[in-house]
Amino acid sequence: MTQALPKLLTFDEFSEWYPNDGKRYELHNGVIIEMPSPTGAHEKVVGFIARKLTVEFDRLNFPYTIPKTALVKTPTAESAYSPDVLLLNLDNLDNEPLFEKQSTVSLAASVPIVIEVVSTNWRDDYYNKFRDYEEMGIPEYWIADYAALGARKFIGNPKQPTIFVCELVDGEYQMTSFQGNTAISSPTFPQLNLTAQQIFNAAN
């Protein structure tokens, strides 16, 4: 007896289905994924990073904002992600076909930086989102692994809390790791005064 495969959703179907129930959902290759409720430490790290970046783009008078909820739609796969910190370029939102009605962006020019704070589903951040953000051409992607949840091949053995800044170079991400009191080097914000340890301390 053959078993019917579950129906994969298009992004449009996902948008129509999306309930107003206070939960966060993502679309991963046509499959709806309910995002786990974040821990308090996770939320503190997200808030700290967002505050530091906001201070910096405000100081530089860049036309950026960090939305409370927004989706990043991948151009080829039927996927849509809800990043922990999403930096939007306000000057490019007029070019976004979905933003006004659905708070969704699909163009790399709209996203100077996207940041995922690693939780138990760490493979999504290190593999799937890494691949899709790279393919989209988003110029800078941070993986903030404050709880050292990722694989040892990424964060060492024994595992160490690590921040990765992935910079798009010739269409591919070049990953640079930051641990301890090392100052984080951001291509978008070269004068950013922030260390990996400050981010880790925010979780406490």
Side-chain angles (χ1 to χ4, degrees), residues 45 48-49 52 142-147 160-165 176-186 192-204:
V45 169
F48 178 77
I49 293 172
K52 287 294 185 181
W142 292 21
I143 301 171
D145 197 347
Y146 74 95
Q160 298 290 323
T162 306
I163 308 293
F164 289 97
V165 174
T176 305
S177 62
F178 301 92
Q179 297 176 335
N181 290 314
T182 307
I184 292 170
S185 176
S186 164
L192 183 66
N193 185 16
L194 181 64
T195 68
Q197 194 61 48
Q198 286 176 293
I199 294 175
F200 306 148
N201 291 344
N204 300 324

Side-chain angles (χ1 to χ4, degrees), residues 31 60-61 80-81 110 112 121 123 128 133 155 165-166 186 188 195:
V31 177
L60 295 167
N61 201 28
Y81 301 130
S110 301
N121 53 343
R123 286 178 176 82
N128 301 339
Y133 293 151
I155 61 175
V165 174
C166 309
S186 164
T188 304
T195 68

Side-chain angles (χ1 to χ4, degrees), residues 23-193:
K23 298 177 181 178
R24 289 170 63 211
Y25 299 91
E26 294 185 339
L27 188 67
H28 292 203
N29 290 314
V31 177
I32 295 170
I33 304 292
E34 180 181 343
M35 305 308 289
S37 297
T39 63
H42 182 280
E43 288 295 88
K44 287 193 286 185
V45 169
V46 169
F48 178 77
I49 293 172
R51 177 165 63 90
K52 287 294 185 181
L53 293 186
T54 300
V55 167
E56 188 65 5
F57 70 68
D58 190 53
R59 182 184 72 83
L60 295 167
N61 201 28
F62 284 177
Y64 294 167
T65 192
I66 296 176
K68 183 174 182 290
T69 53
L71 291 171
V72 176
K73 178 185 179 296
T74 61
T76 52
E78 290 292 348
S79 297
Y81 301 130
S82 175
D84 289 307
V85 181
L86 174 62
L87 205 61
L88 291 182
N89 181 350
L90 295 169
D91 285 352
N92 199 63
L93 293 184
D94 286 346
N95 299 319
E96 288 285 355
L98 302 171
F99 188 77
E100 280 302 312
K101 290 185 177 180
Q102 298 172 313
S103 186
T104 298
V105 294
S106 56
L107 304 174
S110 301
V111 186
I113 298 179
V114 63
I115 297 174
E116 299 289 357
V117 177
V118 178
S119 52
T120 50
N121 53 343
W122 61 268
R123 286 178 176 82
D124 287 340
D125 302 325
Y126 278 97
Y127 294 107
N128 301 339
K129 294 179 182 181
F130 179 98
R131 177 196 64 229
D132 289 341
Y133 293 151
E134 179 184 66
E135 184 184 13
M136 283 184 70
I138 292 175
E140 188 172 339
Y141 169 39
W142 292 21
I143 301 171
D145 197 347
Y146 74 95
L149 297 173
R152 290 178 179 84
K153 67 179 178 180
F154 293 114
I155 61 175
N157 188 13
K159 294 184 176 184
Q160 298 290 323
T162 306
I163 308 293
F164 289 97
V165 174
C166 309
E167 179 184 5
L168 197 71
V169 178
D170 296 330
E172 296 182 5
Y173 277 146
Q174 306 297 317
M175 294 179 75
T176 305
S177 62
F178 301 92
Q179 297 176 335
N181 290 314
T182 307
I184 292 170
S185 176
S186 164
T188 304
F189 299 116
Q191 293 176 296
L192 183 66
N193 185 16

Side-chain angles (χ1 to χ4, degrees), residues 1-43:
M1 181 175 172
T2 59
Q3 186 175 356
L5 293 173
K7 180 181 183 298
L8 299 180
L9 270 68
T10 66
F11 174 78
D12 289 341
E13 290 170 331
F14 171 68
S15 295
E16 287 182 23
W17 165 88
Y18 205 104
N20 187 19
D21 60 3
K23 298 177 181 178
R24 289 170 63 211
Y25 299 91
E26 294 185 339
L27 188 67
H28 292 203
N29 290 314
V31 177
I32 295 170
I33 304 292
E34 180 181 343
M35 305 308 289
S37 297
T39 63
H42 182 280
E43 288 295 88

